[in-house]
């Protein structure tokens, strides 16, 4: 083996060691995305609740416009936040890439389920099925948190996942829209806003 080849092997080993060390040191990013999701969809939940209470007119299209607008705002926020995460220290680590992939898959699943329920409601005229969406979202959040907990080895995230799962069951058992939306809002704070803020704080501390 020539000297250049030996040097190349040493460089490759050094690069792999640097990646491993970065992965161990990297903070768990993505908390800002959770905060954005909680704030944006929390606001939409309040709007939907006001419609159910009759304080905001709702002929059907208003509710659809509300959630589509919330989704559009979130997508814009997501694009901006993902760029920041990717450029942040540790953004390219295997852990953060895996966590990002997990949340992306969950997000796509929620969107596809929402679209499927919309199609079902349009075809059958039974829009009551949309009341299942909060349950679907909480169940999806539970699965995401369990995966993230396993990847990051942060045990407390398992608790957040269990709260999400329990919330999904509670929401399914309520039935009354007057109760579903305020309870869903509380759950968004518990399983998205609060842990998101904790992760943002942890990432800021580690970066400092």
């Amino acid at each position: 083996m020539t000297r250049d080849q030996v040097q190349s092997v040493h460089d490759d080993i050094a690069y792999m060691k640097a990646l491993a060390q970065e992965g161990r040191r990297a903070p768990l990013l993505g908390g800002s995305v959770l905060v954005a999701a909680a704030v944006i969809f929390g606001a939409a939940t309040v709007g939907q609740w006001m419609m159910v209470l009759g304080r905001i007119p709702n002929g059907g299209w208003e509710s659809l416009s509300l959630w589509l607008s919330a989704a559009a705002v979130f997508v814009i926020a997501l694009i901006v936040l993902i760029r920041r995460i990717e450029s942040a220290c540790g953004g390219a680590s295997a852990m953060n890439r895996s966590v990002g992939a997990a949340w992306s898959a969950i997000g796509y699943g929620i969107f596809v389920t929402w679209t499927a329920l919309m199609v079902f409601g349009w075809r059958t005229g039974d829009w009551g099925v949309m009341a299942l969406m909060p349950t679907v979202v909480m169940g999806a959040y539970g699965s995401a948190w369990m995966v993230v907990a396993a990847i990051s080895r942060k045990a407390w995230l398992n608790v957040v996942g269990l709260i999400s799962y329990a919330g999904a069951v509670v929401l399914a058992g309520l039935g009354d829209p007057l109760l579903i939306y305020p309870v869903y809002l509380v759950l968004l704070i518990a399983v998205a806003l609060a842990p998101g803020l904790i992760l943002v704080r942890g990432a800021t501390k580690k970066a400092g």
Side-chain angles (χ1 to χ4, degrees):
M1 185 177 288
T2 66
R3 181 177 298 178
D4 288 342
Q5 289 175 322
V6 171
Q7 184 61 44
S8 177
V9 171
H10 286 170
D11 290 343
D12 289 342
I13 293 173
Y15 176 70
M16 295 300 293
K17 288 174 70 174
L19 285 179
Q21 289 172 354
E22 180 189 8
R24 286 195 296 268
R25 293 195 303 264
L28 182 57
L29 304 174
S32 56
V33 175
L34 289 163
V35 172
V39 171
I40 294 169
F41 291 110
T45 299
V46 172
Q48 185 68 53
W49 186 21
M50 293 299 102
M51 289 181 186
V52 171
L53 291 172
R55 297 180 184 177
I56 298 177
N58 182 17
W61 290 108
E62 290 84 353
S63 179
L64 177 61
S65 299
L66 173 68
W67 290 102
L68 286 177
S69 298
V73 172
F74 178 68
V75 168
I76 294 171
L78 187 62
I79 292 171
V80 174
L81 292 172
I82 285 178
R83 286 177 179 173
R84 290 181 181 176
I85 290 170
E86 289 177 345
S87 62
C89 179
S93 68
M95 177 185 69
N96 279 305
R97 287 198 312 252
S98 299
V99 168
W103 278 111
S104 293
I106 290 297
Y108 290 135
I110 291 173
F111 177 74
V112 169
T113 302
W114 180 80
T115 303
L117 292 180
M118 287 292 294
V119 171
F120 179 86
W122 174 77
R123 185 177 63 82
T124 64
D126 180 13
W127 292 103
V129 70
M130 296 305 295
L132 289 172
M133 271 311 299
T135 294
V136 170
V137 172
M138 281 300 113
Y141 267 54
S143 297
W145 281 124
M146 290 299 186
V147 172
V148 174
I151 294 172
S152 65
R153 298 182 181 179
K154 294 183 181 295
W156 68 273
L157 294 179
N158 286 310
V159 177
V160 180
L162 292 174
I163 293 172
S164 302
Y165 284 144
V169 176
V170 169
L171 288 168
L174 290 175
D176 186 354
L178 290 174
L179 296 175
I180 287 176
Y181 293 108
V183 172
Y184 180 56
L185 181 61
V186 171
L187 286 168
L188 280 177
I189 294 172
V191 305
L193 181 61
L197 289 172
I198 292 172
L199 292 178
V200 168
R201 184 179 179 186
T204 303
K205 267 186 171 181
K206 208 156 190 179

